[in-house]
Amino acid sequence: MSVSPLDRITPPFTVAAEHDSALPQPEALAAAHGFRTQLTVLTAFWIYVALSNVLYANSMQASLSSMKVEHVFAPWDARLIQHLLLYPLFLLSMWRSLRTGWRPLWKTVPIQLLCAVGFAVLAAPALVLGERLVGDSEHEHKAGYVHAWFIGGPELPTWIASATNFLVTYGFGLALVTGFAFYQRLRDSQLRSAALERALTQAHLAALRMQLSPHTLFNLLHTIRGQITWDPPAAQAMVVQLGDLLRRLLSAGEREFSRLSDELQFVALYLELQQKRFADRLTITAPAPEQIPRTWVPSLILQPLVENAVVHGLAGHEGAVTIRVEVSVSGETLSLRVLNTIAPGKGGIGDTGIGLANVRERLAVQFGERATFEAGPADEHLWRAQIHMPLLRDGPDSAAARPATRAAL
């Protein structure tokens, strides 16, 4: 059997009344909270209805009294008792209506109408009882309602008007509690969706960072291997540096953001290892510590770019290669550039691969359209990879404070 939209959005009011003990503790607490909230909404609505009806009746009676017409509307205390008597019936009818739902229509509509009409027709007897309780002798003739329901009489139109009025009131109350329950469900759904999106994003970024670790390790092991056969002491020193690099790599891989200065230190350590292998071919230029702005960047965001610069720059020729790392700030935008010289005619390679794809994807996940990444030849002899991203002076929290539109991955 299909579940109606009303059944989906109104379980707190109904579940709390039947199987609380069977629910797990968090679900039972949520159901109880939903029940209390809906009970509060219905109670506030009924207080408004009672005050409105009492004030309206008093106002109308005051107008009629000025025209010497007395005892048309029941006194305020009788009407107040009427609404007090109807309050539990109102809650009971709402509970039954919400439990019933609207599917299938042939089965639920009669029950819904019975709840609504049954509540509405009891409004007039509740008023008569209220008049008796306050001892209003001028309205004793209204006991004739009981006979008018079945055999007709002069009070029947008044009773029909009362039933119609409370039927409309019941409809408004049902619409109110249903709409409020829908709002609660929508809000909870949005909160769960946001939590799941954050969890998915964090898991995705963790996977991307872990993807970098073996990629970096394999490249460095290949570098050390080249030193072992002809320069063992240098290879041993490089192993020690590799251990330091891996410790930094694991530490950075556990964080979503790092200080730019720490990121550049990691890059410098990696390039130092590469320079020991290609001492006669590799020249490194990096910004001085005092030139580095105090800002935060995604962890390991520069590492793929410098790896690509080394491999791409040395590929296809035996000449010298210069790698230059640049940092600049313009307004609220941070620019990171890695430039390397290339052999003539090699400008069409080096724009694909795990590392650069990783950078593109991480920037899209963390900043959306607020960050851009470009990689390509600046001229015939120079390759440029550059990132433009928001300037995060206040650390990782400033990235979360400015939500980005997540790009499609």
Side-chain angles (χ1 to χ4, degrees):
M1 180 182 297
S2 61
V3 181
S4 70
L6 184 59
D7 292 333
R8 296 192 197 100
I9 63 177
T10 56
F13 190 79
T14 60
V15 169
E18 52 181 25
H19 297 308
D20 282 347
S21 59
L23 290 174
Q25 187 68 12
E27 295 183 15
L29 292 175
H33 175 72
F35 170 76
R36 289 193 298 269
T37 301
Q38 292 187 342
L39 183 62
T40 301
V41 171
L42 289 175
T43 301
F45 172 73
W46 193 247
I47 292 173
Y48 165 78
V49 169
L51 293 177
S52 298
N53 287 348
V54 169
L55 292 175
Y56 173 77
N58 281 357
S59 172
M60 292 299 296
Q61 185 59 60
S63 299
L64 293 174
S65 296
S66 65
M67 297 183 289
K68 309 302 182 182
V69 179
E70 301 291 342
H71 307 298
V72 175
F73 291 89
W76 70 270
D77 47 359
R79 287 193 173 273
L80 188 59
I81 292 175
Q82 175 199 27
H83 287 81
L84 289 175
L85 294 173
L86 289 176
Y87 173 67
L89 297 175
F90 177 68
L91 293 181
L92 180 62
S93 299
M94 286 290 173
W95 173 78
R96 181 69 265 179
S97 176
L98 294 176
R99 282 199 60 185
T100 300
W102 296 93
R103 293 287 182 89
L105 290 176
W106 65 269
K107 183 178 180 180
T108 58
V109 167
I111 300 176
Q112 294 285 359
L113 289 176
L114 183 62
C115 291
V117 175
F119 166 77
V121 298
L122 292 175
L127 181 59
V128 173
L129 181 57
E131 292 171 346
R132 288 184 177 276
L133 291 175
V134 299
D136 184 15
S137 59
E138 296 294 336
H139 287 76
E140 289 292 333
H141 66 280
K142 290 190 177 181
Y145 279 153
V146 178
H147 302 287
W149 297 336
F150 302 102
I151 62 175
E155 304 293 349
L156 182 59
T158 305
W159 167 75
I160 293 176
S162 174
T164 302
N165 175 57
F166 279 90
L167 186 64
V168 173
T169 299
Y170 178 88
F172 274 114
L174 182 60
L176 176 64
V177 73
T178 301
F180 189 80
F182 176 78
Y183 162 75
Q184 282 186 306
R185 287 290 176 181
L186 180 61
R187 182 196 60 188
D188 293 344
S189 176
Q190 290 175 337
L191 292 175
R192 285 194 297 269
S193 177
L196 288 173
E197 183 181 356
R198 287 194 298 269
L200 178 62
T201 299
Q202 291 172 357
H204 192 188
L205 291 174
L208 290 174
R209 290 194 297 269
M210 292 303 296
Q211 186 184 55
L212 285 176
S213 300
H215 188 253
T216 302
L217 178 61
F218 294 151
N219 284 343
L220 291 174
L221 288 175
H222 182 72
T223 299
I224 294 174
R225 177 180 174 275
Q227 295 279 12
I228 291 176
T229 55
W230 62 276
D231 194 352
Q236 292 175 355
M238 293 176 68
V239 168
V240 174
Q241 287 184 307
L242 176 59
D244 188 18
L245 185 70
L246 289 179
R247 280 193 295 271
R248 291 173 178 263
L249 181 64
L250 292 174
S251 176
E254 294 174 354
R255 300 190 303 269
E256 191 171 344
F257 288 86
S258 300
R259 291 183 178 87
L260 178 58
S261 57
D262 295 338
E263 192 74 11
L264 288 173
Q265 285 180 4
F266 181 84
V267 166
L269 183 57
Y270 170 81
L271 290 175
E272 184 180 349
L273 279 170
Q274 295 289 8
Q275 197 171 25
K276 286 187 176 180
R277 180 182 178 187
F278 304 103
D280 56 341
R281 296 184 57 197
L282 197 58
T283 303
I284 308 298
T285 302
E290 62 273 10
Q291 296 176 336
I292 301 174
R294 298 173 61 87
T295 183
W296 294 70
V297 296
S299 296
L300 304 176
I301 199 66
L302 281 175
Q303 179 63 25
L305 304 187
V306 296
E307 285 191 37
N308 186 74
V310 172
V311 176
H312 184 208
L314 295 172
H317 71 106
E318 298 296 330
V321 173
T322 299
I323 296 178
R324 188 166 73 251
V325 180
E326 298 179 349
V327 177
S328 63
V329 174
S330 176
E332 294 300 314
T333 300
L334 173 67
S335 298
L336 306 173
R337 283 178 293 273
V338 178
L339 303 101
N340 62 274
T341 54
I342 54 176
K346 298 295 183 179
I349 64 173
D351 55 350
T352 59
I354 295 176
L356 299 189
N358 188 293
V359 171
R360 288 191 180 93
E361 196 166 0
R362 290 185 62 196
L363 290 174
V365 170
Q366 291 178 305
F367 299 108
E369 296 179 354
R370 296 184 299 151
T372 60
F373 172 63
E374 302 172 358
D379 55 46
E380 184 180 2
H381 302 283
L382 187 66
W383 179 270
R384 177 178 59 200
Q386 61 181 3
I387 296 171
H388 300 292
M389 56 170 283
L391 184 65
L392 306 180
R393 291 192 179 92
D394 300 326
D397 291 340
S398 62
R402 293 178 290 181
T405 303
R406 301 297 185 191
L409 301 177

